[in-house]
Amino acid sequence: MTSDRIAVFGGVYSNYLALDAVCRDARRRGAHTLYCLGDLGSFGPHPERVFPLLDSHRVVTIQGNYEVSLAARRDDCQCGYTDPRDNRFARLAYEYTAEKTPEAAKDWMGSLPAALRKDFGHRSLLMAHGSPRKVNEFLWRSTSPAPFLRRLLDEARTEVLLVTHTGLPWHRRLPDGRHVVNVGVIGRPANNGRTEVVYALLTEGEELDVEWSWVAYDHRRLAREMEEERIPKEFVETILTGWWTTCLEILPAKERAEGRF
Amino acid sequence: MSCPDPGFPQVPFLGLDTLWFQVAGTVCNLRCTHCFISCAPDNHSHGMLDLPTVLRALDEAVELGVQEYYFTGGEPFMNRELFAILEATLRAGPATVLTNGLLLDPRRCARLKRLDEGSEYSLDLRISLDGWGPEDHDRIRGPRAFDRAVAGMRNLWNAGLNPVVTVTELAEGVAGAEGRERFLDRLRSFGLTRPRLKILSLFRLGAEQRRGRGYLPSERLTSGDVIDPERLQCSSGRMVTSRGVYVCPILIDFEGARLGSTLRDSLRPFSLAYPACHTCHVQGVTCRT
């Protein structure tokens, strides 16, 4: 009997080239179901190119804050930033995405579930965007201590919790054997100076196996298309260098220290 | 058990995410003219917290699943047990210390760096400034306070720690986007090449009532106000002082804001009956960076 294996990824951010590469990689690695935890649009070009790929790769998708906002035709993404500069860039990304996303796609976003529960082997698994309690809550590794995660898992009645929203991947196994995984995002690099993007492969067994897969894609082409679409150069720079230039003020001390800016 | 006051909105209690410690009580090495709890060298209305008291609260906090811890005063570094307290805290979760920066000499900064490296959780330092330069800042905080705060920042930076600089609205023009950019440039000029900045609201309490003004009768919430618990730290935070557990860091001079002796006592809704609650409601005051 083979073990069940799934692929889980976060924020596509309109990076349709990375989405295609990640889905192919996940199938090649034996994932039989692919899950996306929301935020289909944001920094990247041509948001409309994401939807056919989600369809052809049969990706099971839940809502992120972007989908909640776009479906409701809100004028802001509700990303949850507190810094004016971060919010200015978030607004630019959202306005571009809102303008270029087909109305039918916005309606479809409204039909997506906010969270997804699943039995994975003998474990219960819950997928959410920010956290089980709030779509735009940031769960960073350095500010999500084990006792707090235990409370979140208790309240959500699950043994495994998968989230995204922050853009930085991490996995914490609690002393009681339960797991919390922030799967990161595939829309932009993880502020580590690498241009690849990352997603999580989960394999069930006696021990839950959580493996990171780093995927290269044609990031130069994406950068060119972003420039052609007059997307802010700060976003393009991140794609080309792997270092974040925006969304920095929300980072806790440890995560901030790991980046370049 | 206090009864809800029908004249004011009630904030529900959503779960204890944030725990504050009044670690230096109201004892401070400065006597700032805008301090909402009138901290001073001779203000002992709340005393220093000792290590056993903090450890007891931490045990309770871990059981309750607290996410993050904040340390304030007074001046936290006046508490001789602060390093032992931080070491214990950083085993339980992330810690942030609010300081005026005066005691951040290279030796203390090196110790803080070691604490930071020894924990998987974040240790954050916040240094307060009240102006663009000594002329504004020192008028509020006293002679040479600005230069000494900047020296503290530099010492942290040189030790490999990047503080968050917190600036009150008293710094002329800092609240707007352009003012904020200019202030970041100001911090870069001190050698902080990746500056972090947080703007703080003023609370018209304590010394600030005498420096500026107190709250107007209209600056109060009423039962008709619709509140958003997500924007209020009292829905998910509490403050431990030497005199018990209070609803928040702002109201520790008000006995009605004392919710009990232990954290468990304090996990209940609160009536927003104080004028300062109006500030939090209007401005969405958050502890986070």
Side-chain angles (χ1 to χ4, degrees):
Chain A
M1 175 176 152
T2 55
S3 298
D4 195 0
R5 174 172 291 184
I6 58 173
V8 190
F9 53 85
V12 180
Y13 300 162
S14 302
N15 189 340
Y16 69 99
L17 296 168
L19 172 63
D20 195 37
V22 161
C23 291
R24 289 173 194 280
D25 183 81
R27 294 287 181 206
R28 202 168 45 244
R29 288 166 170 268
H32 77 70
T33 314
L34 278 50
Y35 295 93
C36 174
L37 304 188
D39 278 0
L40 303 173
S42 182
F43 305 103
H46 309 299
E48 73 284 358
R49 294 184 187 177
V50 164
F51 308 109
L53 288 167
L54 292 173
D55 207 31
S56 63
H57 288 292
R58 301 189 308 283
V59 178
V60 181
T61 305
I62 67 170
Q63 280 180 335
N65 50 284
Y66 248 71
E67 287 68 49
V68 173
S69 287
L70 288 168
R73 276 49 173 196
R74 287 181 61 115
D75 57 9
D76 72 300
C77 64
Q78 303 178 85
C79 286
Y81 299 127
T82 51
D83 174 72
R85 180 178 179 269
D86 286 349
N87 276 322
R88 183 163 53 86
F89 279 114
R91 211 169 26 253
L92 289 171
Y94 182 75
E95 282 167 4
Y96 171 85
T97 307
E99 184 195 331
K100 300 269 182 175
T101 301
E103 292 303 303
K106 291 177 186 172
D107 292 338
W108 168 78
M109 289 171 185
S111 72
L112 295 172
L116 205 136
R117 284 185 187 275
K118 150 181 185 66
D119 287 329
F120 191 55
H122 60 280
R123 293 179 183 82
S124 57
L125 192 144
L126 174 67
M127 301 181 205
H129 181 75
S131 82
R133 56 190 194 172
K134 207 171 156 196
V135 70
N136 64 355
E137 181 168 13
F138 291 94
L139 294 183
W140 309 101
R141 175 199 284 275
S142 83
T143 55
S144 299
F148 167 67
L149 294 177
R150 193 185 62 225
R151 171 160 65 99
L152 278 190
L153 291 168
D154 288 346
E155 287 169 358
R157 297 186 313 283
T158 187
E159 291 160 271
V160 181
L161 171 64
L162 302 164
V163 295
T164 175
H165 191 56
T166 66
L168 297 179
W170 55 270
H171 168 212
R172 185 159 275 143
R173 184 183 182 280
L174 303 189
D176 62 15
R178 293 183 293 174
H179 296 258
V180 179
V181 185
N182 188 316
V183 302
V185 297
I186 63 166
R188 66 172 181 165
N191 199 23
N192 57 1
R194 295 174 61 173
T195 55
E196 300 94 338
V197 295
V198 69
Y199 72 96
L201 277 161
L202 274 69
T203 310
E204 53 115 330
E206 194 51 43
E207 262 301 312
L208 177 73
D209 183 65
V210 179
E211 185 191 345
W212 300 110
S213 184
W214 294 88
V215 178
Y217 67 99
D218 193 347
H219 63 282
R220 288 189 187 84
R221 176 177 159 190
L222 189 86
R224 272 198 311 278
E225 291 182 6
M226 288 167 83
E227 283 164 351
E228 285 160 9
E229 287 292 291
R230 295 200 177 87
I231 283 169
K233 65 181 189 316
E234 288 82 356
F235 299 166
V236 180
E237 187 182 330
T238 296
I239 294 295
L240 289 173
T241 64
W243 298 113
W244 291 5
T245 54
T246 61
C247 314
L248 293 166
E249 299 309 320
I250 199 84
L251 292 172
K254 269 203 198 302
E255 283 81 354
R256 182 73 186 260
E258 286 164 1
R260 176 184 283 178
F261 298 110
Chain B
M1 178 84 188
S2 60
C3 297
D5 187 325
F8 301 100
Q10 260 220 335
V11 63
F13 182 73
L14 304 175
L16 192 60
D17 290 349
T18 304
L19 186 59
W20 285 80
F21 288 100
Q22 192 73 26
V23 73
T26 39
V27 181
C28 193
N29 48 1
L30 292 177
R31 194 186 295 271
C32 304
T33 58
H34 67 347
C35 184
F36 57 81
I37 47 173
S38 312
C39 294
D42 53 1
N43 183 350
H44 297 281
S45 59
H46 291 268
M48 297 265 177
L49 290 176
D50 59 17
L51 182 61
T53 304
V54 173
L55 291 178
R56 271 196 305 278
L58 278 178
D59 282 347
E60 230 189 329
V62 163
E63 216 173 295
L64 292 166
V66 165
Q67 182 176 14
E68 55 181 358
Y69 301 92
Y70 288 81
F71 294 86
T72 187
E75 171 47 49
F77 286 94
M78 289 179 77
N79 186 322
R80 291 177 188 282
E81 293 185 294
L82 182 68
F83 283 91
I85 285 169
L86 288 177
E87 191 174 7
T89 303
L90 285 165
R91 286 196 291 270
T96 299
V97 185
L98 281 60
T99 172
N100 57 34
L102 267 59
L103 297 175
L104 290 172
D105 57 23
R107 188 184 55 85
R108 283 196 182 90
C109 293
R111 280 185 79 184
L112 288 167
K113 180 61 180 171
R114 284 198 296 277
L115 283 180
D116 172 61
E117 284 173 341
S119 174
E120 59 184 318
Y121 304 128
S122 269
L123 170 63
D124 235 324
L125 280 295
R126 287 189 189 169
I127 299 185
S128 311
L129 288 185
D130 289 303
W132 298 80
E135 55 288 352
D136 310 320
H137 183 88
D138 292 1
R139 198 176 320 122
I140 288 163
R141 292 179 174 259
R144 294 198 52 249
F146 187 85
D147 290 345
R148 292 167 72 196
V150 170
M153 277 176 219
R154 285 199 177 113
N155 289 337
L156 279 174
W157 179 258
N158 292 337
L161 294 167
N162 187 6
V164 174
V165 178
T166 55
V167 185
T168 53
E169 299 156 321
L170 290 174
E172 193 73 35
V174 75
E178 190 240 344
R180 191 187 164 87
E181 277 306 314
R182 279 197 303 126
F183 209 96
L184 287 168
D185 284 339
R186 181 88 175 108
L187 297 178
R188 287 186 191 98
S189 76
F190 302 145
L192 275 66
T193 56
R194 299 160 65 190
R196 303 166 74 207
L197 179 64
K198 179 177 168 70
I199 312 293
L200 296 181
S201 305
L202 281 170
F203 290 94
R204 301 183 181 284
L205 300 170
E208 173 61 13
Q209 284 184 97
R210 296 183 290 278
R211 192 204 64 86
R213 63 165 175 86
Y215 283 98
L216 304 171
S218 59
E219 292 173 318
R220 261 186 121 88
L221 293 169
T222 65
S223 55
D225 284 305
V226 177
I227 57 153
D228 177 3
E230 298 279 353
R231 280 167 56 90
L232 294 166
Q233 51 184 347
C234 49
S235 66
S236 59
R238 290 295 179 257
M239 162 59 101
V240 175
T241 91
S242 62
R243 286 164 37 185
V245 182
Y246 286 72
V247 69
C248 72
I250 315 300
L251 297 176
I252 63 169
D253 280 339
F254 298 91
E255 219 33 42
R258 184 182 182 279
L259 295 179
S261 302
T262 66
L263 290 182
R264 283 200 185 278
D265 294 343
S266 74
L267 310 183
R268 49 195 167 91
F270 181 72
S271 288
L272 300 171
Y274 297 86
C277 304
H278 183 267
T279 301
C280 284
H281 167 69
V282 170
Q283 310 212 4
V285 174
T286 170
C287 320
R288 302 219 165 123
T289 305

